[in-house]
């Protein structure tokens, strides 16, 4: 049974089912632009937490399974509802808010519902290999669909142009699928996993 904290900021309620540490396995099956097929099974650990702000902290790691565990990815980032920032919000940088902030309510959040009945979200991720992604999408009940709006990468990284991700809560498991456009190939299926909540 999923237990949710009672001290969540209202903006996090639509994303609250993600909270916790999730572990499990998945499969990679991807064909690169030069025709190479990359496949295998991996272990995955993802953590969604909050520190009182109106966003979720995210961290994830994955390792290829086999005779040796080979690290595949480490990524970190922030997930939040898309809403206009006001003078009551801090930033950019270290700039403080210039207006008094009032506690946002469930009614405030309800006003953010989109035409499809969900909530628009923004996800900012940074990978240890030099790739940064900004995803836009929506959460609707226990399902999230996001697609890259921007991808930045350092000159030393491998080609990576776009991605989509889907997350869903099914029978108390976090299922996800990740499609990518990388290594000269168009956007296509890349990896998927099934994770159990361990914390």
């Amino acid at each position: 049974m999923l237990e949710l904290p009672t001290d969540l900021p209202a903006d996090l309620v639509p994303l609250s089912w993600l909270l916790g540490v999730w572990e499990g396995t998945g499969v990679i099956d991807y064909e690169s632009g030069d025709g190479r097929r990359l496949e295998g099974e991996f272990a995955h650990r993802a953590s969604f937490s909050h520190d009182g702000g109106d966003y979720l902290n995210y961290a994830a790691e994955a390792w290829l399974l086999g005779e040796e565990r080979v690290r595949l990815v480490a990524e970190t980032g922030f997930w939040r509802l898309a809403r206009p920032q006001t003078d009551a919000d801090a930033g950019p940088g270290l700039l403080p808010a210039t207006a008094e902030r009032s506690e946002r309510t469930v009614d405030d959040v309800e006003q953010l519902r989109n035409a499809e009945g969900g909530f628009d979200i923004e996800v900012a991720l940074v990978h240890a290999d030099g790739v940064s992604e900004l995803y836009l999408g929506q959460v609707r009940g226990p399902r999230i669909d996001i697609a890259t709006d921007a991808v930045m990468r350092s000159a030393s990284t491998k080609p990576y142009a776009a991605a989509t991700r889907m997350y869903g809560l099914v029978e108390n498991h976090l299922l996800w699928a990740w499609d990518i456009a990388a290594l000269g190939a168009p956007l296509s299926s890349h990896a998927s996993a099934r994770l159990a909540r361990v914390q």
Side-chain angles (χ1 to χ4, degrees), residues 39-57:
E39 52 191 349
E41 186 177 5
F42 64 92
H44 191 248
R45 178 183 173 92
S47 170
F48 294 88
S49 62
H50 80 97
D51 56 15
D54 57 1
Y55 52 85
L56 291 181
N57 299 301

Side-chain angles (χ1 to χ4, degrees), residues 17-50:
W17 55 272
L18 288 170
L19 284 168
V21 177
W22 303 82
E23 292 182 350
T25 59
V27 292
I28 303 163
D29 189 0
Y30 188 70
E31 188 171 329
S32 66
D34 62 6
R36 288 180 299 147
R37 182 153 224 105
L38 307 166
E39 52 191 349
E41 186 177 5
F42 64 92
H44 191 248
R45 178 183 173 92
S47 170
F48 294 88
S49 62
H50 80 97

Side-chain angles (χ1 to χ4, degrees), residues 10-11 83 86-89 97 99-105 108:
D11 282 1
R83 68 169 176 83
T86 69
D87 289 342
D89 294 298
E100 188 173 335
R101 184 174 180 141
S102 59
E103 194 70 29
R104 289 178 48 79
T105 67
D108 295 329

Side-chain angles (χ1 to χ4, degrees), residues 46-171:
S47 170
F48 294 88
S49 62
H50 80 97
D51 56 15
D54 57 1
Y55 52 85
L56 291 181
N57 299 301
Y58 168 78
E61 297 176 285
W63 302 267
L64 192 62
L65 297 174
E67 291 182 19
E68 295 181 33
R69 281 172 59 113
V70 177
R71 171 144 322 194
L72 293 172
V73 70
E75 58 183 9
T76 187
F78 302 95
W79 296 56
R80 68 183 194 137
L81 291 188
R83 68 169 176 83
Q85 298 293 289
T86 69
D87 289 342
D89 294 298
L94 296 175
L95 298 176
T98 57
E100 188 173 335
R101 184 174 180 141
S102 59
E103 194 70 29
R104 289 178 48 79
T105 67
V106 172
D107 290 336
D108 295 329
V109 173
E110 277 299 315
Q111 292 178 17
L112 298 175
R113 277 197 189 271
N114 61 31
E116 297 175 8
F119 296 92
D120 295 331
I121 62 172
E122 302 169 349
V123 178
L125 299 181
V126 177
H127 302 232
D129 64 2
V131 172
S132 298
E133 302 168 289
L134 173 63
Y135 285 90
L136 303 179
Q138 76 168 331
V139 55
R140 188 166 39 172
R143 181 180 169 128
I144 292 172
D145 292 282
I146 54 177
T148 50
D149 182 59
V151 173
M152 295 182 299
R153 59 188 184 89
S154 66
S156 63
T157 65
K158 295 178 181 178
Y160 182 85
T164 63
R165 299 190 192 203
M166 185 280 298
Y167 296 79
L169 187 64
V170 179
E171 297 176 350

